[in-house]
Amino acid sequence: MDETVCRIHVLAIPLPLQGHLNPMLQLCKRLTSKGVRITLVTGTSASISEQNQFESIKIEYILDDDNIEVEGSNASEKVAAFLKRFNSAVSDNLARLVEEKASSDHPVKIVLYDSLMPWILEIVQGQLGLKGAAFFTQACAVSAIYNHIRRGTLKVPLETSTILFPSMPQLESNDLPSFVYNPGPYPGILDLVLSENINLEKSDWLLFNSFDKLENEVVTWLTERYPIKTIGPCTPSMYTDKRLKDDKDYTINFFAPDSEACLKWLDTKETGSVVYVSFGSVSDLGENQMQEIACGLMNSNCNFLWVVRPSEESKIPRDFMSEAQERGLIVNWCPQIKVLSHRAVGCFMSHCGWNSTIEALSLGVPMVTMPVWVDQPTNSKYIVDVWKVGLRVKASEEGEMVTREEVEGTIREVMHGEKASELRNNALRWKELAKEAISEGGSSDKHIEEFVSSLESI
Ligand code: UDX
């Protein structure tokens, strides 16, 4: 579409967290490739350090750089305090941002917002008279589970340990999102995730970072009830399609990646010999658990690249890296997509955040799953039993701990065991299907085209 002809201007509001901002940026990038103009609203310039690369996306910062320190005794409390501040800045600034563009050639008619901020819809539709598009950065299966709670077909607290929903595999209680079977110290989060149902009922568009063939049955179940559209995977396309290597990747890093060190080190390793280990941007594992993972990695005899954020570093056993020598590399943050697409990586040990999950599927990498909380247990269930691209480490019966033997054994099985080639072949098949979905004429590409066409008629 010719940009001079297209006058669609979308105001995009991602949740300003790593796992939400990245997929929103990828979606925005796809929309700009169809001629849509984007203004993206985020917290501070500190959260987008490489903004220069986003030539076609204008960024508006609504928090003061000098005032980003928030209170909280741990990472989760700090995230909650930061989001509270961000939400209040969005509600204070939204009307102004729309107003500023009102007299231009490209007035904003639609706001694209993260589905975990459904309250934005009320301002957009009710006060500003605009349209709202909700963007879900989680699996369709997870939204369907929240919808079953909303409909009363799943009672919380749970009444049974085995759950059977139409269009889903049989789930045990610990395959559900963690706040459904164990609210833990954050009871409010279940209410937050359930509030996203408002989007399903009222939003003008419902866009999911998934693709039809990946979640076929549950997509059908949702589509029979709500006008959802899958538009994923929202991963930078040049990694799934090497012909697009000159494209820009638009990845945001909240932590500085050790790119050169990682890629140079991977270059020295044999094809398929490295276990890549990461638990995402938020998970906080106990010290004993980190030590069991460290010993399991060491005993697996595989090469490993392990992302350990600075706040977690003190939990690694002393002398661990000197023992590992050239077999291991620990970094604070890495360019994950580049790492997953490197030939040396043989499997991904992951907490199963949705982005990590869909990135591994899109790049054909088998997984060792170790879900920690939120939607991760459900993602793990699908990785193991539906997509059949990974194996889950099991916690010991006495407690929550995953032992070093379990880590070692599961890594060995995924890397070299009886199931290894089946897992790899399945992963490669999903990679092909992911590429097909976003290529011209694929299901996700068609849905984006339909979305853009419907915007033109507003
Ligand atoms: C959070 C939740 O934990 C997750 O369950 C939910 O689905 C989305 O929000 P997070 O824990 O950070 O996200 O995990 P994930 O969804 O996997 O997102 C992490 C992102 O950071 C991925 O896009 C990944 O590519 C990127 N990443 C991670 C890096 O670029 N470098 C790293 O070293 C680690």
Side-chain angles (χ1 to χ4, degrees):
M1 195 185 302
D2 181 353
E3 222 227 310
T4 53
V5 178
C6 176
R7 292 182 175 235
I8 304 164
H9 188 169
V10 171
L11 193 70
I13 315 182
L15 206 63
L17 299 177
Q18 179 80 53
H20 293 255
L21 191 40
N22 262 351
M24 178 70 97
L25 264 172
Q26 296 305 324
L27 172 57
C28 288
K29 177 184 151 191
R30 291 219 151 237
L31 292 173
T32 59
S33 77
K34 311 268 181 200
V36 174
R37 179 170 290 230
I38 302 279
T39 298
L40 185 131
V41 179
T42 191
T44 68
S45 56
S47 61
I48 300 188
S49 52
E50 297 164 55
Q51 68 267 41
N52 293 342
Q53 63 179 306
F54 311 124
E55 292 131 16
S56 54
I57 298 179
K58 180 161 177 5
I59 311 250
E60 293 277 357
Y61 302 101
I62 53 169
L63 290 178
D64 183 357
D65 273 7
D66 298 332
N67 187 22
I68 49 168
E69 274 306 305
V70 283
E71 288 183 4
S73 59
N74 56 38
S76 308
E77 281 180 16
K78 286 188 177 182
V79 167
F82 174 65
L83 291 183
K84 200 167 164 202
R85 189 176 295 174
F86 178 74
N87 286 351
S88 118
V90 171
S91 83
D92 290 347
N93 285 284
L94 195 47
R96 173 186 64 80
L97 289 168
V98 170
E99 186 70 21
E100 276 173 10
K101 322 270 182 261
S103 54
S104 71
D105 283 350
H106 296 82
V108 171
K109 298 262 178 68
I110 162 164
V111 175
L112 171 65
Y113 62 95
D114 191 293
S115 65
L116 283 181
M117 297 188 284
W119 52 270
I120 288 183
L121 190 62
E122 210 169 299
I123 305 180
V124 168
Q125 291 176 333
Q127 293 175 29
L128 304 174
L130 305 178
K131 304 272 186 194
F135 178 44
F136 292 74
T137 62
Q138 70 206 14
C140 295
V142 169
S143 290
I145 291 171
Y146 296 147
N147 194 246
H148 282 294
I149 298 175
R150 170 81 154 196
R151 288 165 179 265
T153 36
L154 178 65
K155 300 258 186 293
V156 178
L158 298 176
E159 291 170 349
T160 55
S161 59
T162 299
I163 296 110
L164 206 53
F165 292 134
S167 82
M168 285 197 201
Q170 178 172 307
L171 302 174
E172 303 306 319
S173 53
N174 63 358
D175 296 323
L176 295 167
S178 64
F179 299 115
V180 178
Y181 66 89
N182 175 19
Y186 312 108
I189 299 196
L190 182 60
D191 292 334
L192 172 70
V193 292
L194 294 183
S195 72
E196 70 162 34
N197 278 290
I198 299 166
N199 301 307
L200 293 175
E201 288 148 16
K202 298 193 176 153
S203 193
D204 299 288
W205 293 274
L206 303 164
L207 309 178
F208 278 79
N209 182 14
S210 186
F211 56 97
D212 283 355
K213 286 190 178 161
L214 185 64
E215 297 195 85
N216 194 6
E217 293 181 32
V218 78
V219 167
T220 306
W221 186 87
L222 278 168
T223 315
E224 282 163 0
R225 288 154 184 84
Y226 307 103
I228 75 152
K229 287 195 189 304
T230 56
I231 49 80
C234 294
T235 41
S237 44
M238 69 278 209
Y239 298 111
T240 45
D241 188 342
K242 298 284 183 210
R243 289 167 306 176
L244 298 171
K245 63 181 182 308
D246 294 330
D247 201 358
K248 289 235 162 76
D249 97 355
Y250 282 56
T251 304
I252 290 282
N253 286 296
F254 279 31
F255 310 89
D258 238 333
S259 306
E260 213 182 308
C262 293
L263 299 172
K264 270 195 177 156
W265 182 84
L266 285 172
D267 285 345
T268 67
K269 301 299 172 219
E270 278 178 32
T271 299
S273 70
V274 175
V275 183
Y276 166 55
V277 188
S278 166
F279 293 90
S281 62
V282 194
S283 303
D284 180 11
L285 297 176
E287 185 165 338
N288 291 346
Q289 184 60 83
M290 290 289 272
Q291 304 216 344
E292 291 302 304
I293 293 171
C295 294
L297 282 170
M298 189 71 92
N299 298 344
S300 74
N301 264 333
C302 295
N303 297 318
F304 61 87
L305 168 58
W306 188 3
V307 175
V308 179
R309 297 193 317 275
S311 57
E312 307 276 278
E313 264 174 336
S314 62
K315 300 173 183 171
I316 303 285
R318 233 176 233 267
D319 301 331
F320 175 66
M321 282 318 290
S322 54
E323 270 177 58
Q325 297 187 350
E326 71 282 357
R327 258 190 53 213
L329 179 68
I330 291 189
V331 293
N332 290 150
W333 196 250
C334 79
Q336 179 162 302
I337 308 261
K338 287 185 186 158
V339 166
L340 286 174
S341 46
H342 197 287
R343 52 147 195 89
V345 171
C347 90
F348 180 14
M349 180 168 180
S350 169
H351 68 315
C352 310
W354 182 239
N355 296 287
S356 292
T357 301
I358 202 158
E359 287 163 10
L361 286 161
S362 307
L363 294 162
V365 181
M367 297 176 80
V368 168
T369 75
M370 185 170 159
V372 181
W373 67 335
V374 273
D375 54 345
Q376 298 153 15
T378 312
N379 299 339
S380 169
K381 171 74 181 170
Y382 273 74
I383 290 166
V384 175
D385 289 340
V386 179
W387 305 317
K388 299 188 191 315
V389 295
L391 299 179
R392 178 173 176 165
V393 291
K394 294 184 185 58
S396 63
E397 281 182 12
E398 305 86 65
E400 300 279 285
M401 190 69 68
V402 176
T403 63
R404 63 191 67 188
E405 291 79 16
E406 180 69 13
V407 171
E408 175 195 340
T410 316
I411 288 175
R412 283 181 186 271
E413 184 60 37
V414 173
M415 290 288 273
H416 314 292
E418 273 178 22
K419 295 205 174 132
S421 73
E422 185 192 331
L423 296 174
R424 176 153 294 279
N425 289 340
N426 290 342
L428 291 174
R429 193 171 61 87
W430 286 115
K431 176 180 176 177
E432 279 311 306
L433 293 173
K435 189 169 142 190
E436 178 189 291
I438 47 167
S439 300
E440 204 177 328
S443 56
S444 294
D445 184 63
K446 272 204 276 192
H447 291 155
I448 292 183
E449 289 278 352
E450 283 164 21
F451 174 56
V452 173
S453 305
S454 68
L455 298 183
E456 285 184 305
S457 59
I458 297 174

